[in-house]
Amino acid sequence: MKKKGAKLILLAIVLVAAVIVLLNSLFIVNEGEFKIVLRFGEAVTIHTEPGLKMKTPFVETSVSLPKYQMIYDSMATPILTLDQKPIIVDNYTVWRISDVQRFWQTLQTVNSAEQRLDAAVYNAVRRRLSATEYGDIISAETARGNLNEEIQNEVTQAMEGGNTGIQIIDVRIKRTD
């Protein structure tokens, strides 16, 4: 009787261990996300298609990154124009991860990507608006459109030059006060 009880306990322990190992080796890639499988912090595999995937339990981990376009809304910042008039500029950036491997190697998180974006956008906006007179900034919509294009091109060059794996879709000035 005792032998049979010990076998049942041992069988239950083995079953629980097998379930834990199985659950730690499976993960789901959802639609609209990338999953990176990491082994000791290094990217081993990148999954882009949704579905159930496997990894080595306890050795590999998985990290999710968004596949969709994201909007980064910059803080309103004061800038001096060419004629030394202070304005407050508020803008946003639409971006997405285009190269997951490079993104992981350089930035790793959406938060650090937004910090890098913020610096690039601020530098481009400051550089362009400080070289433009106040009247040109607030008057014609066409001048503002050209400013948006110039800023977007500068930010795109900065992000591509840094091998960040980020694609800039759009950079727009929302308002100037």
Side-chain angles (χ1 to χ4, degrees):
M1 184 82 166
K2 284 187 178 185
K3 228 178 190 186
K4 189 174 183 180
K7 283 184 180 181
L8 283 175
I9 291 173
L10 184 62
L11 181 64
I13 291 172
V14 168
L15 275 173
V16 168
V19 167
I20 290 172
V21 168
L22 181 66
L23 290 178
N24 276 313
S25 65
L26 296 175
F27 64 96
I28 297 173
V29 178
N30 294 317
E31 198 164 324
E33 76 178 359
F34 300 110
K35 280 275 192 181
I36 303 172
V37 176
L38 305 171
R39 183 178 301 139
F40 307 116
E42 290 291 321
V44 178
T45 311
I46 297 171
H47 295 281
T48 58
E49 296 301 316
L52 187 63
K53 311 292 181 184
M54 292 193 72
K55 62 181 176 61
T56 307
F58 308 112
V59 176
E60 296 177 337
T61 58
S62 63
V63 176
S64 298
L65 292 172
K67 195 185 265 189
Y68 50 84
Q69 291 182 359
M70 294 165 274
I71 298 174
Y72 177 68
D73 195 2
S74 299
M75 296 281 291
T77 55
I79 294 173
L80 285 176
T81 62
L82 181 62
D83 48 356
Q84 298 301 310
K85 293 192 178 175
I87 60 171
I88 296 176
V89 180
D90 194 9
N91 57 313
Y92 69 90
T93 307
V94 180
W95 66 285
R96 65 184 275 292
I97 298 171
S98 59
D99 186 337
V100 184
Q101 184 74 35
R102 274 197 291 173
F103 183 87
W104 181 255
Q105 290 171 346
T106 57
L107 299 168
Q108 293 188 348
T109 64
V110 170
N111 200 15
S112 62
E114 287 179 342
Q115 288 175 353
R116 181 86 59 96
L117 264 174
D118 189 47
V121 169
Y122 173 75
N123 288 335
V125 168
R126 184 177 46 81
R127 192 173 4 267
R128 293 294 177 189
L129 294 184
S130 64
T132 307
E133 291 196 6
Y134 180 76
D136 293 338
I137 294 171
I138 63 168
S139 66
E141 189 62 39
T142 56
R144 184 123 163 267
N146 291 343
L147 280 172
N148 284 330
E149 285 177 29
E150 292 171 6
I151 291 167
Q152 179 177 339
N153 291 338
E154 194 170 324
V155 171
T156 299
Q157 288 174 356
M159 298 312 282
E160 287 175 359
N163 286 329
T164 57
I166 290 177
Q167 177 188 8
I168 303 298
I169 310 297
D170 195 15
V171 178
R172 291 278 171 204
I173 296 174
K174 289 194 306 192
R175 68 184 172 107
T176 55
D177 292 333

